[in-house]
Amino acid sequence: MIGALEQCANLLLDADLTIGNLECVLGRGGQQVNKNYIFRGAGDSPKYLKKYFHALSVANNHTLDFGPDGLLECLDVLKKADIGYFGGGVNIQASRAGLLLEVKGRRIMLLGYNDFRKEDYQATEDRAGNTPLISDWVIEDIRYAKRACNADIVIPFVHWGIEMNPTPTPEQRELSKRWIDAGASAIIGGHPHVTQTIDSYRGRPIVYSLGNFVFDYYPVDPAIWYGWAIRLSIPPQSADGTGSID
């Protein structure tokens, strides 16, 4: 991981905010669950994540690889390292709350949702987990961010799609449009391990899958398995309080 981050340092550090997806557990706690692939970050991971990222999504199918207790320790590790996180929490209310950041006078709300086997990983009223992808919840959270949190920019990060398939499903395309209609400024997706189509709807970008950024799951990585880093440009807020995103 360190080498990959260093090679991309100019890209990662040349932004007001750098956001990523943390597809593993940090810390040493929790009890390993019975599944085919288990991911835990190295002990010094927080130092390097802090250097290159301002915030991380924990809405995916690996942040519960060591159960709810493992996730709770992971969140504590992120807090101690002063790394923001979203898409997961001590319960479903905390998980859905998102992360509100302010950059150059613009209030940016980050929301995270997991769709892959979401029932297995979702937070509940009394259990840590991540936010399941329920479209009505996404719409509610976007509208709440705009209305109650005065967010200028709202970006849902969605863990979804079919693995190894370079094409988003018709449902993904339709849901993305609904969320933009509700007020989302952009939709950013991941999980399929390959990049997918990029769409634009009402002038707002939809990135269905970024592919893999740092990932050593495969013994040999074919050249076609590359990943994207997306740069979003948020112009200054106009006099009437509006603004777009490119």
Side-chain angles (χ1 to χ4, degrees), residues 193-210:
H193 299 292
V194 293
T195 57
Q196 292 186 337
T197 305
I198 297 178
D199 282 340
S200 177
Y201 174 67
R202 297 179 58 184
R204 301 177 184 183
I206 303 170
V207 184
Y208 295 99
S209 175
L210 293 172

Side-chain angles (χ1 to χ4, degrees), residues 29-156:
Q31 183 174 356
Q32 181 174 320
V33 301
N34 183 20
K35 56 187 294 194
N36 289 334
Y37 304 105
I38 305 294
F39 301 143
R40 194 198 286 274
D44 59 353
S45 295
K47 176 174 67 173
Y48 297 99
L49 290 170
K50 172 61 179 177
K51 180 177 180 179
Y52 295 105
F53 293 93
H54 296 90
L56 298 166
S57 172
V58 295
N60 59 66
N61 56 298
H62 285 288
T63 47
L64 279 178
D65 280 0
F66 291 83
D69 288 341
L71 174 59
L72 287 174
E73 182 173 346
C74 178
L75 301 182
D76 188 55
V77 169
L78 292 173
K79 288 178 185 176
K80 290 178 178 177
D82 194 27
I83 302 171
Y85 64 85
F86 58 97
V90 299
N91 54 40
I92 189 59
Q93 289 82 8
S95 184
R96 288 182 65 183
L99 178 65
L100 185 64
L101 302 172
E102 186 167 335
V103 178
K104 296 181 178 178
R106 307 303 298 275
R107 293 169 65 84
I108 302 171
M109 177 65 83
L110 306 174
L111 303 169
Y113 304 90
N114 173 55
D115 190 46
F116 183 77
R117 291 174 52 189
K118 57 189 174 186
E119 295 83 5
D120 295 337
Y121 307 112
Q122 67 183 36
T124 66
E125 295 286 341
D126 55 4
R127 189 194 77 163
N130 55 44
T131 314
L133 178 59
I134 300 173
S135 183
D136 287 347
W137 284 14
V138 180
I139 292 171
E140 289 175 8
D141 295 345
I142 292 169
R143 290 174 175 168
Y144 182 84
K146 301 285 284 186
R147 181 184 68 253
C149 302
N150 297 315
D152 303 300
I153 302 294
V154 182
I155 305 177

Side-chain angles (χ1 to χ4, degrees), residues 207-237:
V207 184
Y208 295 99
S209 175
L210 293 172
N212 295 332
F213 182 61
V214 178
F215 206 73
D216 61 358
Y217 171 93
Y218 304 100
V220 179
D221 287 340
I224 60 170
W225 288 347
Y226 55 83
W228 286 336
I230 302 299
R231 179 185 290 272
L232 298 178
S233 176
I234 302 173
Q237 192 167 350

Side-chain angles (χ1 to χ4, degrees), residues 9-46:
N10 290 339
L11 173 67
L12 296 173
L13 297 175
D14 185 30
D16 295 311
L17 284 178
T18 303
I19 315 299
N21 170 51
L22 182 65
E23 192 103 1
C24 67
V25 178
L26 302 179
R28 306 256 61 91
Q31 183 174 356
Q32 181 174 320
V33 301
N34 183 20
K35 56 187 294 194
N36 289 334
Y37 304 105
I38 305 294
F39 301 143
R40 194 198 286 274
D44 59 353
S45 295

